[in-house]
Amino acid sequence: MQGKYRALWLNDDEFLEVIDQTKLPFEYTTKVLKTTDEVVTAIKDMTVRGAGVIGSVAAFGIYIACLKPNITYEALHVEAKKIRESRPTAVNLMWAVDKMMELLKDSNDLVNDAKKYAIELNDDEAIESQKIAKYGADIIEDIIKKKNKKSINILTHCNAGWLAVIDEGTALAPIYEARKRGIDVHVWVDETRPRNQGASLTAWELTQSGVSHTIIADNTGGHLMQAGEVDMVIVGADRVSANGDVANKIGTYLKALAANDNDVPFYVAIPASTFDFDIIDGVKDIPIELRSEDEVKYMRGVDSDGVVREVLITPKDSPAINYGFDVTPARLVTGLITNKGVCEADFDKIQEKFNKK
Ligand code: MRU
C-alpha cells in the first residue's frame, strides 16, 4: 500500500466504511457502519479517531441514522444526541452534529439531504486541510531560510495526518506539502502513550508517503530540543478556545513548555471547525476525556509469530489514570496555522480572523 487514502468513505452499498485504526500498523482492515449505535461505538472505541475524522464520521452518522425506517426529524434528534455524546473533548464532533441538524430542520427528504450535506461538509473540510498545508509549508520554508539550512527537523505529537482529518491532515499536511515542494523534511514522531497514535499511525502514514522520520519516546523531545535537533514543533488540536488555549493529546503541553524553554517555534494546525468560541478560558473550561486505565496498563503489539497480542505492562493490581488530552495555554503557542492563514493564539486576533468581532 503506497501513498495516501481517505480514512472513511460511502461504499457501493451507500453505507459508511472506515479504516479500522485500532488494527494499524499491523493490519489494514475496514469496518462498515450501518446503524447509529455502530457509529457511536466506532467513535468511542477509537476505530476512528482524530478530531477531524470524528467530525466527518459524525456527519455521515446523521445520514446513517436517517436510514432508520420512517424516522422523523424529531426522532433524529435522539440519534444525534447519542452521536454527539460519544466523546467529550474534540469539538468537531459537536460542530458536525449541530451543523447537520441545522441543515436538515426543513428537509422533506432526510436520507438524500443528509447524504448530500455530509458529503459537502467533508469536501469542505478537505479543502480547508489543503489550505492549512500551504500556509504551514510557507512557515517551514521561512524557518529553513532564517536558519540557513538545507533540511528541517520537525517534531510532532499524536497523529494529525490524513487518518485524523480529511484529506491531508492538519499537523502533517504542511509536511506533505513541503515534500511536494522538494524540501528535505525529517520528522521526530512522539510515540504518544498510552495508545501510541504516533508510533502506530503517524509512523505508518509517513512510511506510506516516504517521509523520513524517527520514532521517539515521549520524554525524548526536550533533550532533542536542547541539543538543537528540533527546528519546529507542529501539532493538531481537538478544541481551541476563543482566547487561543489549545486542547490536544495528553503530553502536548509538556512539548510546548520544552519548546518555549528552547526557543523552538510551537505551531498548532487547525481548521475553523476546531474552534470553540463559547469557551473564553480553555485551560479552565475545555472538557478533558478520562479513558479506561487499561489503555495505560496494557500494550498492543505483534509477537515473533506475527500474532497481534495485548500484554499487561504493569503490576496487575496497581491503579492507573488515563487523561486523554491536556490544554496548552495560548502564551506557549507561536501561531495557529488555520485554513484562513496563520493567526496568533490571541482572543482579539482570532476574533478578527474569524469575523467574530
Ligand atoms: O484520542 P485521539 O486519537 O482522537 O486524539 C487525537 C489528537 O489529539 C489529535 O492530535 C487531534 O485530534 C488533532 S487531529 C485533528
Side-chain angles (χ1 to χ4, degrees):
M1 267 182 78
Q2 275 308 315
K4 179 177 66 58
Y5 307 79
R6 253 197 183 191
L8 64 136
W9 58 92
L10 276 187
N11 65 18
D12 297 344
D13 305 324
E14 308 241 298
F15 288 119
L16 182 59
E17 190 155 352
V18 300
I19 296 176
D20 183 346
Q21 300 192 29
T22 66
K23 297 285 188 300
L24 294 173
F26 308 117
E27 292 169 63
Y28 175 91
T29 58
T30 66
K31 264 191 186 160
V32 178
L33 310 178
K34 299 181 177 177
T35 66
T36 307
D37 291 345
E38 288 174 359
V39 168
V40 170
T41 302
I43 295 173
K44 277 184 187 301
D45 72 11
M46 297 179 65
T47 297
V48 292
R49 36 67 50 206
V53 161
I54 292 172
S56 297
V57 167
F60 279 116
I62 298 295
Y63 153 67
I64 296 290
C66 290
L67 297 174
K68 222 175 176 177
N70 312 317
I71 194 162
T72 62
Y73 183 72
E74 287 59 43
L76 186 59
H77 269 294
V78 178
E79 304 298 301
K81 187 169 182 295
K82 288 183 202 166
I83 297 173
R84 199 178 190 284
E85 294 173 352
S86 43
R87 287 184 76 190
T89 305
V91 76
N92 300 63
L93 172 59
M94 302 79 182
W95 168 82
V97 170
D98 297 350
K99 186 167 178 161
M100 289 293 291
M101 293 308 287
E102 176 59 28
L103 289 166
L104 290 169
K105 72 175 185 297
D106 303 320
S107 169
N108 301 320
D109 180 357
L110 285 174
V111 172
N112 288 313
D113 285 347
K115 187 171 86 176
K116 182 177 70 139
Y117 295 139
I119 290 169
E120 284 171 4
L121 183 149
N122 277 284
D123 289 348
D124 291 348
E125 288 293 279
I127 293 165
E128 293 207 353
S129 168
Q130 283 150 14
K131 292 178 185 166
I132 291 169
K134 301 220 172 340
Y135 291 123
D138 294 347
I139 294 175
I140 291 173
E141 283 186 345
D142 289 351
I143 290 176
I144 286 180
K145 250 187 236 121
K146 270 203 206 94
K147 299 187 94 172
N148 195 16
K149 294 185 69 171
K150 296 241 173 317
S151 64
I152 187 165
N153 288 309
I154 299 175
L155 185 145
T156 195
H157 190 72
C158 197
N159 170 258
W162 56 264
L163 283 170
V165 180
I166 296 272
D167 260 347
E168 309 279 336
T170 50
L172 296 187
I175 291 169
Y176 293 134
E177 174 64 19
R179 290 267 304 159
K180 283 186 200 146
R181 297 181 187 183
I183 295 170
D184 181 2
V185 182
H186 166 258
V187 184
W188 297 112
V189 177
D190 273 357
E191 61 182 340
T192 316
R193 286 274 297 152
R195 291 184 67 103
N196 296 329
Q197 285 92 331
S200 60
L201 304 177
T202 296
W204 182 78
E205 266 200 42
L206 296 178
T207 303
Q208 303 304 316
S209 302
V211 176
S212 160
H213 62 281
T214 308
I215 297 169
I216 54 174
D218 292 328
N219 295 327
T220 305
H223 168 69
L224 289 170
M225 292 180 200
Q226 273 178 343
E229 296 287 340
V230 180
D231 301 303
M232 177 188 197
V233 176
I234 310 182
V235 297
D238 292 85
R239 190 183 301 220
V240 176
S241 54
N243 69 331
D245 293 340
V246 172
N248 193 44
K249 184 49 56 187
I250 196 84
T252 304
Y253 173 41
L254 299 180
K255 286 292 137 32
L257 286 169
N260 204 261
D261 192 47
N262 292 283
D263 297 323
V264 173
F266 182 89
Y267 284 94
V268 177
I270 50 162
S273 50
T274 302
F275 277 111
D276 184 342
F277 295 108
D278 298 330
I279 293 183
I280 307 302
D281 180 342
V283 170
K284 193 161 75 54
D285 297 324
I286 292 178
I288 299 295
E289 184 178 21
L290 193 55
R291 294 185 61 87
S292 160
E293 67 169 13
D294 286 353
E295 294 184 350
V296 173
K297 295 179 70 167
Y298 290 84
M299 197 88 146
R300 200 175 65 85
V302 72
D303 68 17
S304 52
D305 301 326
V307 178
V308 176
R309 292 190 186 289
E310 200 151 77
V311 294
L312 178 65
I313 60 168
T314 70
K316 190 151 187 32
D317 302 323
S318 289
I321 199 161
N322 182 15
Y323 288 105
F325 302 91
D326 59 23
V327 181
T328 297
R331 62 182 169 77
L332 296 176
V333 177
T334 308
L336 301 170
I337 305 170
T338 80
N339 52 296
K340 291 192 174 194
V342 181
C343 176
E344 270 180 60
D346 166 83
F347 183 86
D348 292 330
K349 296 285 176 16
I350 293 171
Q351 298 286 313
E352 201 180 298
K353 188 149 284 296
F354 288 88
N355 309 325
K356 296 291 176 184
K357 275 212 167 162

